[in-house]
Amino acid sequence: MNLTMEDVLRALDPDEVDYAAASQLGPDALPFLMTLVQGQGQDPGLAAKAAYLAAVVEGELSERVVTAAAASGDVRVRVAAAHAASMLAAEPASRVLGTLLLDSDAGVQKLALKSVSAGLSPDLMVKVQEVSVNGSSQGLRDYAVQAMERLQ
């Protein structure tokens, strides 16, 4: 079966996507997911779903799709990237989360901090420590302290 954009759109169409079922589309879906993320001005909700599915699918392009989502101009897509990063391998997750920890939106930073887990890069620990001291709110600083505990 040749996968088409229509197949991918059909999997992402429900309000509550069944990501386990959608992941059965496999790595062949990743170029389509990248197209949806990069064209997110048309539908940021769809782009957010595509970013998350890219991490669930686990393929060579997964990191690129999630990285593109992390650079989105739409906060909803960046939030999805922060959540999706927790499903990437340690190095790609560290890179994506490192970017999102510096995001201008506190909600994106919060979700990035919640996605931090053991085994991520020492460089990420430095950024988390910075947020724990210089975060824009006490809540963010508290989340950063919790994230540092998970990193150790």
Side-chain angles (χ1 to χ4, degrees):
M1 172 181 127
N2 286 336
L3 188 67
T4 66
M5 178 62 91
E6 289 74 32
D7 296 325
V8 173
L9 291 171
R10 195 171 18 265
L12 294 175
D13 183 52
D15 287 338
E16 295 293 326
V17 175
D18 181 347
Y19 287 100
S23 71
Q24 298 305 309
L25 295 172
D28 290 345
L30 290 167
F32 297 113
L33 298 174
M34 178 64 95
T35 298
L36 293 171
V37 165
Q38 290 176 332
Q40 44 79 24
Q42 299 170 13
D43 188 344
L46 185 60
K49 292 176 185 180
Y52 188 81
L53 181 57
V56 175
V57 167
E58 296 181 27
E60 286 184 29
L61 294 177
S62 293
E63 177 187 2
R64 280 198 227 159
V65 175
V66 176
T67 298
S72 171
D74 191 286
V75 69
R76 293 168 288 184
V77 180
R78 295 194 314 274
V79 163
H83 190 44
S86 68
M87 292 179 281
L88 297 174
E91 283 307 310
S94 294
R95 286 189 289 273
V96 171
L97 292 172
T99 299
L100 294 171
L101 285 175
L102 304 175
D103 197 274
S104 61
D105 185 89
V108 173
Q109 288 180 312
K110 176 183 169 183
L111 201 40
L113 287 165
K114 284 184 157 192
S115 294
V116 168
S117 62
L120 298 178
S121 76
D123 290 341
L124 187 64
M125 174 67 124
V126 170
K127 290 180 181 177
V128 172
Q129 286 174 329
E130 183 178 321
V131 174
S132 75
V133 174
N134 300 317
S136 62
S137 71
Q138 185 60 49
L140 274 179
R141 293 189 294 273
D142 291 344
Y143 277 113
V145 168
Q146 294 168 11
M148 286 189 324
E149 291 170 0
R150 289 192 305 273
L151 279 168
Q152 297 174 355

